């Protein structure tokens, strides 16, 4: 049933296709106002499959798996396809705050090394953010390799407060507006998982990633002996969004390899929305026959409590 | 003669009923969720002692299995006790438990039966739920509702 091909990382993505139902202009001075009404009719979920040896499964069939969507088991799919490997949008989130100063040199080396290894990804699909003090900032978009080659990427010194959650919200929002709607969006987060100043909460950061369909792959900059909550935070990000957690050093390269390998065995499935219950729809993919199959996808999606 | 016949019926009836309970049946799993595992004390004595839940803090799978005449809610005994979600699941009942043979496993897996509902009643509830859900969706897109807002 399954031809394993080398792959380590599976991953995910869920999309609600919105079907519009009305429209109208809303210009100032015009008494008539149009209301846009939409109804989510279909769920699209991107996932990858691997066998018990963690090798990607290249010939998965729709009958090999079922989706559990808010407790309801879905076996009838409207579409099932392999994902298009040209649609991969990658962003790197680079922690330059004071909390990572002991590991900053290593982090910088890892990030630059990672950019050097992204040869298979078009330059326009690569961007990089940094955060320290109060604001996250976009370092480069579409020209990261050129800046790296010219030695112009700011890698000065780590200092200041750590708005990690704000930075994830910012980067997720940015990625959601990049590329086409069906592109796979991955944010590689270099961090110790510590946040000291964000206006957004941990929950906000997870929700922003889920809403923007961004997968978080987290590279933990902590030493193994650390007693901080950081690793748990990073693992939580990865698990909720269908990404993976990698300890440093070399976590960046391993994450990138996993993303690319995984991409060769990722699939996209769509199905009718099984329940219109508002709120979070937890999603899980499970095998129908072969219990050795493992699936990785994002943990769910939000269905609005009022259709807008 | 009548007495002999009565004796035979009395002897055969329990065996026939037992055979009915033990025969292989099949159904479809339509729902699944992870819920608190029920501890080992889950029976009459536990209920009487006020510790009926006996929760362990772990999460175990709970399935809704729809058979021909009855719909069962069953609980796994550990987080690892996952059933492949095939279209058809074969099972049999034994001492308030459901026994499911998963693939070619040597032993059947035992699941606790948490609840049972007659199929017609369950179907009726499902139809009501679906109608309610459709009505809600229609209301969202209804022009009169739009005007009200």
């Amino acid at each position: 049933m399954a031809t394993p091909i080398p792959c380590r990382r599976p991953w995910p993505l869920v999309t609600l296709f919105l079907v519009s139902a009305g429209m109208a202009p809303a210009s100032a001075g015009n008494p008539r106002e149009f209301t846009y009404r939409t109804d989510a009719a279909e769920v699209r979920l991107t996932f990858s499959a691997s066998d018990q040896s963690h090798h990607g499964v290249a010939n998965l069939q729709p009958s090999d798996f079922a989706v559990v969507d808010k407790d309801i088991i879905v076996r009838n799919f409207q579409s099932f396809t392999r994902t298009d490997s040209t649609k991969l949008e990658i962003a790197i989130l680079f922690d330059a705050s004071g909390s990572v100063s002991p590991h900053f040199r290593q982090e910088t080396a890892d990030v630059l090394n990672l950019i050097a290894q992204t040869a298979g990804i078009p330059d326009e699909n690569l961007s990089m953010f940094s955060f320290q003090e109060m604001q996250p900032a976009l370092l480069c978009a579409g020209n990261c390799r050129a800046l790296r080659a010219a030695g112009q990427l700011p890698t000065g010194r780590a200092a200041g407060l750590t708005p990690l959650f704000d930075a994830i919200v910012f980067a997720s929002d940015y990625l959601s507006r990049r590329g086409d709607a069906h592109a796979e969006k991955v944010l590689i987060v270099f961090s110790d998982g510590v946040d000291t100043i964000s206006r957004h909460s941990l929950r906000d950061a997870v929700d922003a990633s889920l809403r923007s369909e961004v997968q978080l792959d987290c590279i933990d900059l902590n030493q193994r002996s650390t007693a901080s909550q950081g690793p748990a935070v990073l693992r939580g990000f990865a698990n909720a969004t269908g990404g993976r957690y990698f300890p440093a050093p070399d976590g960046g390269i391993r994450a990138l390899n996993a993303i690319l390998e995984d991409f060769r065995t990722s699939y996209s499935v769509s199905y009718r929305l099984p329940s219109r219950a508002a709120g979070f729809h937890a999603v899980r993919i499970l095998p129908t026959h072969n219990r050795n199959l493992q699936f990785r996808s994002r943990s769910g999606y939000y269905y609005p409590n009022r259709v807008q | 003669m009548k007495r002999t016949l009565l004796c035979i019926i009395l002897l055969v009836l329990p065996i026939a009923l037992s055979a009915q309970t033990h025969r292989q049946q099949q159904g479809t799993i339509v729902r699944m969720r992870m819920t608190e595992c029920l501890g080992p004390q889950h029976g009459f004595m536990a209920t009487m002692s006020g510790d009926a839940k006996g929760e362990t803090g772990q999460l175990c799978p709970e399935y809704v299995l729809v058979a021909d005449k009855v719909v069962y809610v069953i609980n796994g005994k550990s987080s690892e006790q996952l059933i492949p979600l095939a279209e058809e699941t074969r099972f049999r009942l034994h001492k308030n438990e459901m026994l499911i043979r998963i693939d070619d496993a040597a032993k059947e897996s035992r699941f606790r039966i948490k609840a049972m509902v007659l199929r017609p009643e369950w179907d009726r509830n499902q139809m009501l739920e679906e109608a309610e859900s459709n009505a809600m969706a229609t209301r969202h897109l209804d022009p009169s509702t739009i005007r009200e807002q």
Side-chain angles (χ1 to χ4, degrees), chain B residues 75-143:
Chain B
N75 283 101
K77 295 177 181 177
S78 76
S79 59
E80 302 298 313
Q81 208 175 1
L82 297 172
I83 308 172
L85 300 176
E87 199 79 49
E88 281 183 2
T89 299
R90 292 181 180 279
F91 67 93
R92 65 190 180 92
L93 303 174
H94 179 67
K95 290 184 181 172
N96 201 31
E97 286 186 321
M98 183 178 283
L99 276 60
I100 297 177
R101 189 178 294 279
I102 298 170
D103 291 338
D104 51 355
K107 286 175 72 176
E108 289 167 309
S109 294
R110 291 170 176 270
F111 291 82
R112 289 196 180 94
I113 298 176
K114 185 180 173 185
M116 291 190 283
V117 185
L118 287 173
R119 178 74 186 266
E121 190 183 334
W122 190 82
D123 285 342
R124 199 163 43 242
N125 287 340
Q126 289 300 113
M127 280 169 63
L128 283 174
E129 268 180 35
E130 200 169 322
E132 199 174 312
S133 167
N134 288 340
M136 202 186 297
T138 311
R139 192 177 138 70
H140 281 309
L141 301 173
D142 182 5

